[in-house]
Amino acid sequence: MLAQYIAESALLEGNKNKCIERMREICNREFEEQMKNLQTILGVNERSALTILAEIGSEVNAFPSAKHLVSWCGFNPRNDESNKKIKSNKITHGNRFVRIASVQCAWAASRTKKCYFSKFYAFHTQVRKKFKLKVVVAVARKVLVCIWHILKLNVPYKDFDPERSVEVDCTQLA
């Protein structure tokens, strides 16, 4: 029986590898630019980009804003409150495949040196003493917002640096 289980496991592993290779061929042929742009996000590798493109698609016109994509993936916090008593603050249900991929990307991005996601993660876990898993969900939400903007504008990811950001003076615009 052990030999049968090993043979069945090898067959399933082979089928999985064939499916992944076929997905890779299709994405590289049809969505080559989107794949390259998604992989510029820190923490997103080829496999994650394949999963994201397979679930969301290359056109994000179905989502009018990044908030809609975040909500569709289930990263909105619940609002179960009655008489100023919070009953639940877990994330909502949504597309589990994109949610799993974006959380894995968030873990990788939070451990990348000198990037916005790692600075955000370090600040909230060390300075504000937040629970690590909740901060990773917040980083995953930020990764999804980046994904929406990258697919919408068809541009590569550019890391946010608060020192380089330009503040616009609204009094000069009037």
Side-chain angles (χ1 to χ4, degrees):
M1 285 185 67
L2 186 60
Q4 289 177 344
Y5 288 138
I6 292 172
E8 185 177 351
S9 175
L11 178 68
L12 293 175
E13 189 70 29
N15 288 341
K16 182 181 90 171
N17 291 336
K18 285 179 187 176
C19 288
I20 291 172
E21 188 60 38
R22 181 75 175 127
M23 277 179 54
R24 187 177 292 126
E25 287 175 14
I26 292 170
C27 285
N28 286 334
R29 185 180 64 235
E30 301 292 328
F31 312 115
E32 182 179 4
E33 191 171 351
Q34 288 89 351
M35 282 283 291
K36 287 180 184 176
N37 289 340
L38 284 177
Q39 290 178 31
T40 59
I41 301 174
L42 300 169
V44 177
N45 60 7
E46 184 185 26
R47 182 90 180 260
S48 302
L50 285 173
T51 303
I52 290 164
L53 278 176
E55 292 296 321
I56 296 173
S58 64
E59 301 285 330
V60 289
N61 296 333
F63 308 105
S65 69
K67 287 182 180 180
H68 287 86
L69 175 62
V70 169
S71 175
W72 181 73
C73 293
F75 281 120
N76 278 354
R78 291 179 122 157
N79 190 13
D80 296 339
E81 186 173 342
S82 177
N83 194 18
K84 297 182 183 176
K85 182 177 180 182
I86 298 173
K87 295 181 180 180
S88 173
N89 54 3
K90 295 181 179 180
I91 58 175
T92 57
H93 298 288
N95 188 319
R96 68 178 189 184
F97 302 111
V98 177
R99 191 170 57 237
I100 290 169
S102 59
V103 167
Q104 291 300 318
C105 294
W107 274 114
S110 67
R111 282 159 171 65
T112 304
K113 300 248 186 231
K114 296 182 181 177
C115 77
Y116 172 71
F117 299 127
S118 65
K119 291 175 188 174
F120 180 87
Y121 179 81
F123 175 76
H124 285 283
T125 54
Q126 295 169 3
V127 177
R128 296 195 62 203
K129 305 289 186 198
K130 297 286 183 180
F131 186 55
K132 289 181 180 181
L133 296 179
K134 288 187 177 186
V135 177
V136 167
V137 169
V139 172
R141 184 186 183 287
K142 290 185 178 299
V143 168
L144 268 178
V145 170
C146 290
I147 288 170
W148 184 85
H149 285 287
I150 285 171
L151 291 177
K152 184 76 170 179
L153 303 174
N154 204 16
V155 294
Y157 174 72
K158 187 175 179 183
D159 196 25
F160 175 72
D161 187 10
E163 296 167 1
R164 289 188 302 167
S165 67
V166 178
E167 293 184 17
V168 178
D169 188 11
C170 296
T171 59
Q172 295 176 355
L173 296 175

